[in-house]
Amino acid sequence: MKWGAARFVAAESLPKTVEVVEGLNKEGLVVALDHLGESVESREEATTATQASIDILDAIQSSGVDSNVSVKLTQLGLDIDEEFCLENVDKIARKAKETNNFLRIDMEDSPRVDVTLRIFNTLLDRYGKEHVGLVIQTYLYRSEQDVLELGKKNTNLRIVKGAYKEPARVAFPNKKDVDDNFIRLVKLHLQNGNYTAIATHDEAIINHLKKWLKEKNIPDDLYEFQMLFGVRNGLQRELVKEGYKVRVYTPYGKDWYPYFTRRLAERPANVFFILKNMFRN
Ligand code: FAD
């Protein structure tokens, strides 16, 4: 399993990760670094995770690589205490502002959306849209309303389909509806003049949006494509060649297990990819 995870995880240590980012930058890709981990159970673990993201921002500044940072609030103590989590993520957001960088808050499962929005809005008021942004999942019925609300504050949003198992009570059970909502919400946010990270590996959606972006003359500096490290590598580089900005979400660290198993669940073919390579080597 660990061997398989290497396809989706940059490295275990920060210095090695910075080398990987340098390599991606050389290929014209920009990066979002994520220190792996979620759902910590103790304050000590949350404090350590907070420091890890601050260290990433320092390493980005000192190495000069082109990367920002993503975090998950459950890693920063969300399930322990909301106020404690806010204190932690505030330290990272402050560092992001000090180093002229950007902090993206990932979105986790649906029971955590409201509290994530509360914390995010506090940070947005403190640090501004140039330094903090959020993720919206198009499988949730509520997301259109959230995009409209966040749009009023010109929030920088990463739009994704959503990676968690959700009940039909809160999320579209049919993939087609999730896909249609993805396209709808990307267009909505962009037409309201807001920065949008189009985060998908879905080539049909990407092609549809490329055409639409041209037709509507959406400025190049209002959007970027985003994909996961190790997924659709060829497509990432093709988009760069065509002149699009592409950011690779690049996880690193030792706590790779939950992240890796989500990638496998999304696409069981990944298991075969790993097995094939195991037998080859
Ligand atoms: P899908 O319809 O799942 O896939 C379309 C095609 O993409 C597939 O046919 C296949 O060709 C390719 N593909 C998709 N996934 C894989 C894979 N794992 N391996 C190989 N090929 C694949 N989700 C959240 O809930 N919260 C977040 O904060 C979050 N952040 C994300 C950040 C980024 C940059 C990205 C790219 C995704 C993020 N996700 C997040 C995950 C997202 O919600 C989806 O689960 C994931 O992107 C798969 O959906 P898709 O849009 O690529 O389309």
Side-chain angles (χ1 to χ4, degrees):
M1 283 289 267
K2 184 171 175 177
W3 194 87
R7 185 190 165 205
F8 300 105
V9 175
E12 288 200 349
S13 77
L14 185 51
K16 279 259 176 308
T17 302
V18 170
E19 284 174 26
V20 172
V21 178
E22 276 165 355
L24 291 167
N25 286 170
K26 274 195 191 119
E27 293 187 83
L29 296 152
V30 295
V31 174
L33 278 174
D34 163 57
H35 179 253
L36 283 165
E38 42 204 286
S39 293
V40 302
E41 276 157 22
S42 73
R43 285 176 183 257
E44 291 71 30
E45 283 174 291
T47 305
T48 306
T50 303
Q51 190 54 47
S53 288
I54 292 173
D55 292 344
I56 295 178
L57 285 160
D58 277 330
I60 292 170
Q61 191 183 37
S62 61
S63 63
V65 292
D66 193 340
S67 176
N68 59 32
V69 170
S70 273
V71 294
K72 288 187 175 47
L73 293 184
T74 57
Q75 196 191 7
L76 304 174
L78 186 66
D79 296 345
I80 301 170
D81 174 48
E82 183 177 338
E83 199 51 41
F84 170 64
C85 179
L86 174 60
E87 276 169 33
N88 287 334
V89 68
D90 179 270
K91 286 181 192 151
I92 305 170
R94 194 178 324 139
K95 186 75 179 182
K97 186 165 183 177
E98 271 168 24
T99 54
N100 197 25
N101 208 319
F102 182 83
L103 170 66
R104 170 93 52 198
I105 298 182
D106 286 354
M107 192 59 84
E108 298 179 73
D109 50 349
S110 60
R112 298 186 170 99
V113 173
D114 278 322
V115 63
T116 302
L117 278 164
R118 258 197 315 276
I119 291 180
F120 172 73
N121 278 310
T122 304
L123 296 176
L124 186 63
D125 291 344
R126 288 181 190 168
Y127 300 104
K129 67 180 167 65
E130 290 75 23
H131 299 292
V132 287
L134 190 65
V135 177
I136 286 289
Q137 300 151 323
T138 68
Y139 60 17
L140 296 182
Y141 304 130
R142 62 175 290 167
S143 288
E144 182 164 351
Q145 200 48 43
D146 288 335
V147 168
L148 285 170
E149 283 305 313
L150 291 159
K152 288 181 195 157
K153 293 183 170 187
N154 300 115
T155 309
N156 177 327
L157 287 182
R158 175 201 294 152
I159 297 192
V160 302
K161 291 186 189 176
Y164 297 82
K165 192 144 187 55
E166 297 289 357
R169 188 170 34 83
V170 297
F172 295 106
N174 295 323
K175 185 170 162 31
K176 168 93 173 70
D177 294 325
V178 179
D179 292 358
D180 290 350
N181 203 34
F182 186 98
I183 291 176
R184 190 162 49 239
L185 297 192
V186 166
K187 290 181 179 175
L188 177 67
H189 203 52
L190 280 167
Q191 276 180 319
N192 287 336
N194 296 313
Y195 196 91
T196 307
I198 306 167
T200 183
H201 314 93
D202 190 323
E203 215 169 337
I205 289 184
I206 292 172
N207 286 337
H208 172 94
L209 287 172
K210 272 163 53 179
K211 211 162 146 245
W212 180 85
L213 291 161
K214 265 208 188 80
E215 276 165 17
K216 298 286 172 193
N217 280 321
I218 303 292
D220 290 346
D221 60 0
L222 205 57
Y223 66 91
E224 63 190 48
F225 289 100
Q226 293 192 354
M227 295 189 211
L228 304 177
F229 181 81
V231 179
R232 300 299 316 261
N233 288 335
L235 182 57
Q236 294 173 15
R237 282 137 184 95
E238 263 173 50
L239 288 170
V240 169
K241 273 202 198 112
E242 291 169 27
Y244 292 102
K245 182 166 184 176
V246 181
R247 190 175 299 277
V248 184
Y249 181 102
T250 305
Y252 92 93
K254 293 192 166 64
D255 198 3
W256 46 265
Y257 185 80
Y259 178 83
F260 178 51
T261 46
R262 265 206 307 281
R263 301 287 82 80
L264 290 184
E266 256 163 23
R267 194 167 150 79
N270 285 335
V271 176
F272 297 110
F273 174 91
I274 287 155
L275 288 175
K276 203 168 74 190
N277 282 284
M278 262 164 84
F279 288 116
R280 222 180 251 160
N281 288 298

